Amino acid sequence: MHNKILLTDEEIPRQWYNLNADLPTPMQPPLGPDGKPVSPEALAPVFPMNLIEQEVSQERWITIPEEILNILYRWRPAPLRRAVYLEKALNTPAEIYYKDESVSPAGSHKPNTAVAQAWYNKQFGTKTITTETGAGQWGSALSFACSLLGITCKVFMVRISFDQKPFRKIMMETWGGACVASPSNETEAGRRFLKEDPNTPGSLGIAISEAVEAAVTDKSGTTKYALGSVLNHVMLHQTIIGLEAQKQLAKIGIKKPDVVIACAGGGSNFAGLSFPFILDKINGAAIDIIPVEPASCPTMTRGIFTYDFGDSAGMTPLLPMFTLGHNFVPDPIHAGGLRYHGMSPMVSQAINEGLVKPRAVNQLDCFKAAMLFAKTEGMIVAPETSHAIAAVIEEANKAKEEGKKKVILFNLSGHGLMDMVGYSKFINGQLHDHKLPQEKIAKAEAELAALPKAAVAKTGKW
Amino acid sequence: MHNKILLTDEEIPRQWYNLNADLPTPMQPPLGPDGKPVSPEALAPVFPMNLIEQEVSQERWITIPEEILNILYRWRPAPLRRAVYLEKALNTPAEIYYKDESVSPAGSHKPNTAVAQAWYNKQFGTKTITTETGAGQWGSALSFACSLLGITCKVFMVRISFDQKPFRKIMMETWGGACVASPSNETEAGRRFLKEDPNTPGSLGIAISEAVEAAVTDKSGTTKYALGSVLNHVMLHQTIIGLEAQKQLAKIGIKKPDVVIACAGGGSNFAGLSFPFILDKINGAAIDIIPVEPASCPTMTRGIFTYDFGDSAGMTPLLPMFTLGHNFVPDPIHAGGLRYHGMSPMVSQAINEGLVKPRAVNQLDCFKAAMLFAKTEGMIVAPETSHAIAAVIEEANKAKEEGKKKVILFNLSGHGLMDMVGYSKFINGQLHDHKLPQEKIAKAEAELAALPKAAVAKTGKW
């Protein structure tokens, strides 16, 4: 029995995998407010050109620079572990494996792209990077990466998480980053949202608006913005997770998993684990691939596929994606990293192609799953990750009903050591489920109808 | 260049190393209040007999039960990492390696013995284990281990840490453990200390008194007490750290380190890393072995070697060790795990033999070292561990002055993700050093003179 499957440094994947090269229907381009495709050059005030090139690349394999690997080696290759004690507790014939991304210094998968983005920015001459963060995983990861590379980091943290997870701010400060609650008084967008609702819990959409504004209004030209999810180049950097997992499963003689599961907020940890397996699926393998989202923010399962802004103030280009509308402010669930109105265009396209099948789960089921995981496997996972585990338990129970010895693989995207307030509330019966009223979806649909959307009709459901 | 050196599951050490078999002068026995050696049977109300047998064992190698290894495999063998970025920042010719014990589910080295103690208790029929905890690392570790083995866990947590680190309590609860602040109203000892000083920050000595009392006064006879440090069997269980490190260094062609460093509160993470290297030293290798303690609780560097109680209420046998007196209440520094009046008798004996050379460091130097480590290596370490890093930096600078390419090995005993309040205070200039007035030592000396001590004169300094 293999409790954990390790790779040596020498076995680390040396290329990222770009799903863009293999999607049956090509991705549609981002649009400007005029409804016309945005040129790569138009993104130059926001991102360095080397990352913009990756954003639009159609190459299947992109070489990981040696200097980035040298930083990733601190914690990568990440272990693949088998959840033998969870299997026993569930009395399932299924074998459950997980990639443990919690072993990074920042405690999640986020440093995989934070290091890459900081490194490309450094090459480009960027001195300061601005960003948003939900639960704080991304802000911590970028602060960590910027610290190693000598770049200044400024983080706008969604208010509700800022209050729920005070230690995340100190982590960022320990790595030399600066962190303010969003909406803040530091940007025009922030001041506007604060005026509308001084008690707003904030949202990733609002925080993105602030971070983008802070980058593009800096007159030195050496400030850029970094996004921790959603965009193509972020998905690309995360594919190292799934590529490692493939090598690790092969080491113990498993040709392919039957089920691949990860939680999805903006989509990056899901994409990171699943995209290499989507390629297998495109090539004929039978694999159920499941992104899991909160029922309170059901972008993939109840949202609309259309063009929408990535942020709440409408500062970004329009992206072809599943969305609940950029004005949607999700309920303050503890999985702050999943409180996003949209979804990665690449993941959205994979949904449209029928390559992956999204699922929504309730908060209480997630914490219940996380508690079982802690008491069997011993690890305390992030509330985001608990969504994946809730779906894993569903699939393991299904395998039991069917009497099938399935291989289930999931992404343990991060630890929950900064999320103990959520655990405490769950233990003390202070949490509840959040249901999204249908009126809110209808309202979003009406608002979205007014945005440019011509191209979407070709492939989208709408 | 090797960023990390891993072992496979198959390479895990299968025996613990017992320094008792090799100490040049035999250890002296614990004494009862009458000054006579305590028999193993007399300890039976407190510990299960299988652990008492380990406590008094003279065997050099003790086989680790397969079932314990099966649990340890979740995170062991632990990585040996090289601190290449810290080396660069210090511009030192020294190579700095560390065992990363932060990778355990509870975040420190403590589960190495927690799992073993819970397992032996389970074999013996124990239903409930009581314990104390300082910073919370031990209480978390025992809750984790008890959770896996189906044992009830009750933790008395030193008041100051209980207040500084609220999330530790929730961790314990997540694993099903119960945790109260010590001194508490639940024991006679606790009530007495609260009466003396209702605002006491508490101490490990007080918390031990409470946990021992709670165990021995349970009439069912199925409640035992577990100690996270100090005792011989705890040191034994931790030696897996140093035994792994020896294999890992050998893998990259290093025959022996020149310097071995770990922080020491009760002594267990120090013992775990260093005892296998002490054997090398007894066999002729030249190695500087340095336990590091806080200047505010300088048990080894300014304490007295004599017989003293392990707890503050005088409920334990008298142990031959370095001590500041069992009534000593250390200042509330953030390294809660190092706030202990005594020191493991085995480590104390190794000091007396000249095999190891203790050192004391100040709180501000420790946090400064931890910040440098975070900004170079990326990892946020526990305040306890920062003491080791402060000494590592001193030794690396010394190697630079001497122009010597030394190999320095230290124990990264735990992460600091539950200790962000301490980091925040340091960043904001709210911490200071704590100096121990000589009068306090003199007072302890006078009190200790009244205790039985005949046997000590033979080998002790005093």
Side-chain angles (χ1 to χ4, degrees):
Chain A
M1 196 179 60
H2 303 271
N3 268 90
K4 59 181 177 297
I5 303 103
L6 303 175
L7 298 176
T8 65
D9 285 6
E10 290 69 31
E11 292 173 304
I12 203 167
R14 297 185 168 271
Q15 295 177 308
W16 291 302
Y17 168 62
N18 184 3
L19 180 62
N20 260 340
D22 292 301
L23 277 170
T25 316
M27 298 265 296
Q28 297 180 65
L31 302 183
D34 57 359
K36 290 189 182 153
V38 169
S39 71
E41 292 71 25
L43 296 170
V46 183
F47 299 107
M49 194 47 75
N50 47 16
L51 285 175
I52 296 171
E53 283 164 15
Q54 285 190 348
E55 184 65 18
V56 301
S57 172
Q58 296 292 323
E59 276 182 68
R60 180 171 291 118
W61 299 102
I62 294 177
T63 298
I64 309 176
E66 200 65 31
E67 290 173 49
I68 291 178
L69 286 177
N70 277 338
I71 298 179
L72 297 183
Y73 284 139
R74 286 157 189 251
W75 72 96
R76 303 208 75 86
L80 180 74
R81 304 188 196 273
R82 182 167 168 192
V84 281
Y85 301 89
L86 178 63
E87 289 172 18
K88 262 188 215 165
L90 297 173
N91 190 23
T92 176
E95 291 182 9
I96 302 171
Y97 296 88
Y98 59 97
K99 277 295 276 187
D100 185 1
E101 292 294 316
S102 77
V103 298
S104 78
S108 78
H109 66 293
K110 293 289 188 185
N112 297 331
T113 185
V115 166
Q117 291 193 53
W119 187 83
Y120 282 109
N121 266 289
K122 181 85 175 179
Q123 296 297 107
F124 189 75
T126 304
K127 305 284 184 214
T128 300
I129 300 181
T130 66
T131 198
E132 77 296 329
T133 197
Q137 299 272 23
W138 169 243
S140 310
L142 192 65
S143 296
F144 155 72
C146 285
S147 166
L148 301 188
L149 288 156
I151 296 172
T152 301
C153 184
K154 173 66 184 260
V155 182
F156 294 86
M157 183 169 186
V158 176
R159 170 100 253 166
I160 176 72
S161 294
F162 188 89
D163 293 340
Q164 282 173 342
K165 299 164 195 189
F167 290 180
R168 278 281 171 196
K169 173 175 184 273
I170 312 173
M171 275 181 90
M172 297 179 218
E173 289 173 347
T174 300
W175 283 312
C179 172
V180 292
S182 166
S184 77
N185 276 310
E186 297 189 15
T187 66
E188 206 175 299
R191 288 187 290 271
R192 178 148 51 84
F193 285 107
L194 276 178
K195 204 176 162 189
E196 280 174 22
D197 178 5
N199 298 316
T200 175
S203 72
L204 278 168
I206 295 171
I208 295 172
S209 295
E210 289 204 85
V212 171
E213 182 185 325
V216 299
T217 55
D218 175 65
K219 295 200 177 99
S220 73
T222 58
T223 298
K224 297 290 172 193
Y225 163 75
L227 186 58
S229 192
V230 181
L231 298 178
N232 301 349
H233 65 277
V234 182
M235 306 298 124
L236 179 77
H237 300 155
Q238 293 293 359
T239 57
I240 194 167
I241 302 171
L243 294 167
E244 284 181 3
Q246 288 182 323
K247 287 191 175 195
Q248 286 162 314
L249 288 175
K251 276 207 168 185
I252 51 169
I254 296 177
K255 276 184 147 175
K256 65 156 192 73
D258 298 291
V259 188
V260 173
I261 294 171
C263 66
S268 82
N269 99 76
F270 170 73
L273 179 68
S274 70
F275 281 7
F277 293 100
I278 292 183
L279 176 56
D280 289 348
K281 190 166 179 169
I282 290 170
N283 290 331
I287 311 176
D288 290 335
I289 302 178
I290 307 169
V292 189
E293 65 185 6
S296 57
C297 188
T299 314
M300 298 178 290
T301 53
R302 293 175 65 198
I304 301 144
F305 181 77
T306 187
Y307 271 108
D308 193 10
F309 295 110
D311 68 322
S312 298
M315 298 184 68
T316 72
L318 290 152
L319 302 171
M321 63 181 179
F322 282 88
T323 176
L324 294 165
H326 58 275
N327 290 318
F328 179 76
V329 177
D331 279 357
I333 57 166
H334 273 272
L338 305 184
R339 294 178 68 249
Y340 183 58
H341 70 273
M343 177 50 59
S344 149
M346 289 178 93
V347 172
S348 296
Q349 181 76 351
I351 295 170
N352 283 335
E353 304 276 8
L355 292 165
V356 313
K357 283 217 175 113
R359 184 177 298 182
V361 287
N362 285 311
Q363 177 162 267
L364 293 182
D365 288 336
C366 292
F367 271 101
K368 203 176 143 196
M371 291 292 289
L372 179 62
F373 198 76
K375 285 182 179 156
T376 53
E377 292 299 311
M379 295 183 68
I380 295 175
V381 303
E384 291 79 7
T385 307
S386 74
H387 288 67
I389 297 176
V392 165
I393 292 173
E394 289 177 355
E395 290 299 310
N397 288 336
K398 195 174 139 198
K400 188 179 169 184
E401 281 164 29
E402 296 172 350
K404 282 188 188 162
K405 197 191 151 189
K406 288 184 179 173
V407 171
I408 301 172
L409 170 69
F410 79 95
N411 206 7
L412 197 156
S413 53
H415 65 63
L417 300 181
M418 296 291 154
D419 306 278
M420 298 316 298
V421 171
Y423 276 89
S424 179
K425 286 189 177 165
F426 177 75
I427 290 169
N428 294 305
Q430 294 162 351
L431 290 188
H432 57 95
D433 285 332
H434 297 258
K435 300 286 177 195
L436 184 66
Q438 187 58 33
E439 306 90 80
K440 279 208 177 184
I441 307 272
K443 188 175 164 231
E445 198 153 4
E447 286 175 4
L448 289 164
L451 297 173
K453 58 181 183 300
V456 171
K458 290 186 206 159
T459 53
K461 284 183 190 171
W462 199 33
Chain B
M1 194 180 62
H2 303 270
N3 268 90
K4 59 181 175 298
I5 303 103
L6 303 176
L7 298 177
T8 64
D9 286 4
E10 291 68 32
E11 292 172 305
I12 204 167
R14 296 183 170 273
Q15 295 176 309
W16 291 303
Y17 168 62
N18 183 4
L19 181 62
N20 260 339
D22 292 301
L23 278 170
T25 316
M27 299 265 297
Q28 296 179 63
L31 301 183
D34 57 359
K36 288 186 182 155
V38 168
S39 71
E41 292 70 27
L43 296 171
V46 184
F47 299 107
M49 195 48 75
N50 47 16
L51 285 175
I52 296 171
E53 282 164 17
Q54 285 190 350
E55 184 65 19
V56 300
S57 172
Q58 295 293 322
E59 275 181 69
R60 180 172 291 119
W61 298 102
I62 293 177
T63 297
I64 308 175
E66 199 66 29
E67 290 173 50
I68 291 178
L69 286 176
N70 277 337
I71 298 179
L72 297 183
Y73 284 139
R74 288 156 187 252
W75 72 96
R76 303 209 75 86
L80 180 75
R81 303 188 196 275
R82 182 167 169 192
V84 282
Y85 302 88
L86 178 63
E87 290 172 18
K88 262 188 214 164
L90 296 173
N91 190 23
T92 176
E95 291 182 11
I96 302 172
Y97 296 88
Y98 59 98
K99 277 296 276 186
D100 184 1
E101 292 294 316
S102 77
V103 298
S104 78
S108 79
H109 67 293
K110 293 289 187 186
N112 297 331
T113 185
V115 166
Q117 291 192 52
W119 187 84
Y120 282 109
N121 267 289
K122 181 85 177 178
Q123 294 297 107
F124 189 75
T126 303
K127 305 284 185 212
T128 300
I129 301 181
T130 65
T131 197
E132 78 296 329
T133 197
Q137 299 272 25
W138 168 243
S140 311
L142 192 64
S143 297
F144 155 73
C146 285
S147 167
L148 300 188
L149 288 157
I151 297 172
T152 301
C153 183
K154 174 65 183 262
V155 182
F156 293 86
M157 184 169 185
V158 176
R159 171 98 253 165
I160 177 72
S161 294
F162 188 89
D163 294 339
Q164 282 173 342
K165 298 165 196 188
F167 290 0
R168 278 281 171 197
K169 174 175 183 273
I170 312 174
M171 277 181 87
M172 295 180 220
E173 290 173 347
T174 300
W175 284 311
C179 172
V180 293
S182 166
S184 77
N185 276 311
E186 296 188 16
T187 66
E188 205 174 300
R191 288 188 288 272
R192 177 148 50 86
F193 285 106
L194 277 177
K195 202 175 164 192
E196 280 174 22
D197 178 5
N199 299 315
T200 175
S203 72
L204 278 169
I206 294 172
I208 294 173
S209 296
E210 289 204 86
V212 171
E213 182 185 326
V216 300
T217 55
D218 176 64
K219 293 197 180 104
S220 74
T222 58
T223 298
K224 297 289 171 194
Y225 164 74
L227 187 58
S229 193
V230 181
L231 298 178
N232 300 348
H233 65 277
V234 183
M235 305 298 124
L236 178 78
H237 300 155
Q238 293 292 358
T239 57
I240 195 167
I241 303 171
L243 294 167
E244 284 181 5
Q246 288 182 323
K247 286 191 174 193
Q248 287 162 314
L249 289 175
K251 275 207 168 185
I252 52 169
I254 295 176
K255 278 184 145 175
K256 64 156 195 71
D258 299 292
V259 187
V260 174
I261 293 171
C263 65
S268 81
N269 100 76
F270 169 73
L273 180 68
S274 72
F275 280 7
F277 293 101
I278 291 183
L279 175 56
D280 290 349
K281 190 165 178 171
I282 290 171
N283 289 330
I287 310 176
D288 291 334
I289 302 178
I290 307 169
V292 189
E293 66 185 5
S296 57
C297 187
T299 314
M300 299 178 289
T301 53
R302 293 175 65 198
I304 300 143
F305 181 76
T306 187
Y307 270 108
D308 194 10
F309 294 110
D311 68 322
S312 297
M315 298 184 67
T316 72
L318 290 152
L319 301 171
M321 62 180 180
F322 280 88
T323 176
L324 294 164
H326 59 275
N327 290 317
F328 180 75
V329 177
D331 278 357
I333 57 166
H334 274 271
L338 305 184
R339 294 178 67 249
Y340 183 59
H341 69 274
M343 177 51 59
S344 149
M346 289 177 93
V347 172
S348 296
Q349 181 77 350
I351 296 171
N352 282 336
E353 304 277 6
L355 292 165
V356 313
K357 284 217 174 112
R359 184 178 297 183
V361 287
N362 285 311
Q363 177 161 265
L364 292 181
D365 287 336
C366 292
F367 271 101
K368 204 175 144 196
M371 291 293 287
L372 178 62
F373 198 75
K375 286 182 179 156
T376 53
E377 292 299 311
M379 295 182 69
I380 296 175
V381 302
E384 290 80 5
T385 307
S386 74
H387 288 68
I389 298 176
V392 165
I393 293 173
E394 288 176 356
E395 289 299 310
N397 287 336
K398 194 174 140 200
K400 188 178 169 185
E401 280 164 30
E402 295 172 350
K404 282 188 188 162
K405 197 191 151 191
K406 289 183 181 176
V407 171
I408 300 172
L409 171 67
F410 78 96
N411 206 9
L412 196 156
S413 54
H415 65 62
L417 300 181
M418 296 290 154
D419 307 278
M420 298 314 299
V421 171
Y423 277 89
S424 180
K425 286 190 177 164
F426 177 75
I427 291 168
N428 294 306
Q430 293 161 351
L431 290 187
H432 57 93
D433 287 332
H434 297 258
K435 299 288 177 194
L436 184 67
Q438 188 58 35
E439 305 90 80
K440 280 208 176 184
I441 307 270
K443 188 173 164 235
E445 198 153 5
E447 284 174 5
L448 288 165
L451 297 174
K453 60 182 183 294
V456 170
K458 291 187 205 157
T459 54
K461 284 182 187 170
W462 198 34

